[in-house]
């Protein structure tokens, strides 16, 4: 979800045994700028030509790839069926959403969509940076930033994550966040 031109899923898939990769039936990219990336950045777009390319390689994964250019806020909506073989109520076994929230226009619709789109018992791989206050977020992202309109506090993420059984939880700044020294954490 919110993959940009390069999806973190490639790194995840390349870090697990091939037997795990072999269980993937299909991959759907939800990225509002996907068409732009595929058309204008084909050499760097990981899902170019509707195939998921491995890092630094022309080799691709074997499962089918579907591209959805709707915003993250529409995730899990009934009207989102783009392919005839997909169910009317699309549910995913796994969702990967890493540092997407600050890019959406409506954080609550986006978070509801993640919850709605994940099948019961599904796996959510999720990371977001947050700030003590929205004003601290402005210090990192700038004010009135069209591409980063949302500033999230830890409380919002805590409430959202209460809906899930947490298998792994790590809170605190990453090495890169500490290096920047801008009061961000994740």
């Amino acid at each position: 979800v919110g993959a940009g031109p390069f999806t973190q899923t490639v790194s995840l898939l390349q870090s697990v045994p091939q037997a795990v990769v072999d269980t993937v039936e299909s991959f759907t990219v939800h990225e509002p700028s996907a068409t732009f990336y595929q058309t204008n950045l084909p050499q760097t777009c990981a899902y170019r030509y509707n195939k998921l390319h491995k890092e630094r390689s022309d080799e691709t994964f074997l499962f089918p790839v579907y591209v959805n250019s709707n915003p993250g806020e529409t995730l899990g909506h009934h009207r989102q069926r783009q392919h005839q073989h997909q169910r009317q109520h699309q549910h995913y076994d796994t969702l990967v959403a890493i540092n997407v929230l600050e890019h959406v226009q409506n954080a609550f619709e986006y978070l509801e969509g993640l919850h709605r789109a994940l099948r019961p018992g599904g796996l959510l791989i999720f990371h977001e940076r947050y700030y003590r206050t929205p004003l601290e977020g402005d210090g990192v992202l700038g004010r009135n930033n069209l591409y980063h309109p949302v500033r999230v506090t830890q409380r919002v993420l805590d409430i959202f994550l209460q809906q899930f059984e947490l298998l792994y939880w790590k809170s605190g700044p990453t090495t890169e966040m500490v290096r920047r020294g801008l009061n961000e954490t994740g």
Side-chain angles (χ1 to χ4, degrees), residues 57-164:
S57 172
D58 285 331
E59 188 178 346
T60 62
F61 293 97
L62 300 179
F63 45 79
V65 174
Y66 306 102
V67 178
N68 182 322
S69 293
N70 293 321
E73 293 90 335
T74 66
L75 190 64
H77 285 192
H78 301 291
R79 68 178 182 274
Q80 200 169 38
R81 197 182 109 212
Q82 289 193 341
H83 306 285
Q84 289 182 353
H85 72 280
Q86 291 179 324
R87 297 183 300 273
Q88 181 68 23
H89 301 282
Q90 183 66 52
H91 288 98
Y92 297 98
D93 295 326
T94 304
L95 288 174
V96 178
I98 299 174
N99 298 332
V100 177
L101 188 57
E102 66 190 26
H103 297 281
V104 302
Q105 299 298 312
N106 186 318
F108 294 106
E109 277 188 36
Y110 169 71
L111 292 172
E112 285 177 346
L114 285 176
H115 188 263
R116 206 174 25 248
L118 192 63
R119 75 160 171 78
L123 178 64
L124 174 64
I125 300 171
F126 181 83
H127 177 270
E128 289 297 337
R129 60 181 169 177
Y130 57 85
Y131 309 92
R132 285 184 293 233
T133 68
L135 288 175
E136 284 186 1
D138 286 348
V140 176
L141 303 171
R143 285 185 172 258
N144 301 318
N145 184 328
L146 177 65
Y147 299 107
H148 298 88
V150 175
R151 313 292 183 264
V152 177
T153 62
Q154 182 176 0
R155 179 78 176 129
V156 171
L157 296 179
D158 287 346
I159 291 169
F160 171 67
L161 292 173
Q162 286 175 1
Q163 302 174 77
F164 301 93

Side-chain angles (χ1 to χ4, degrees), residues 9-28:
T9 305
V10 172
S11 298
L12 291 170
L13 288 171
Q14 288 188 235
S15 69
V16 297
Q18 184 62 40
V20 173
V21 175
D22 291 342
T23 67
V24 177
E25 293 177 17
S26 67
F27 177 76
T28 303

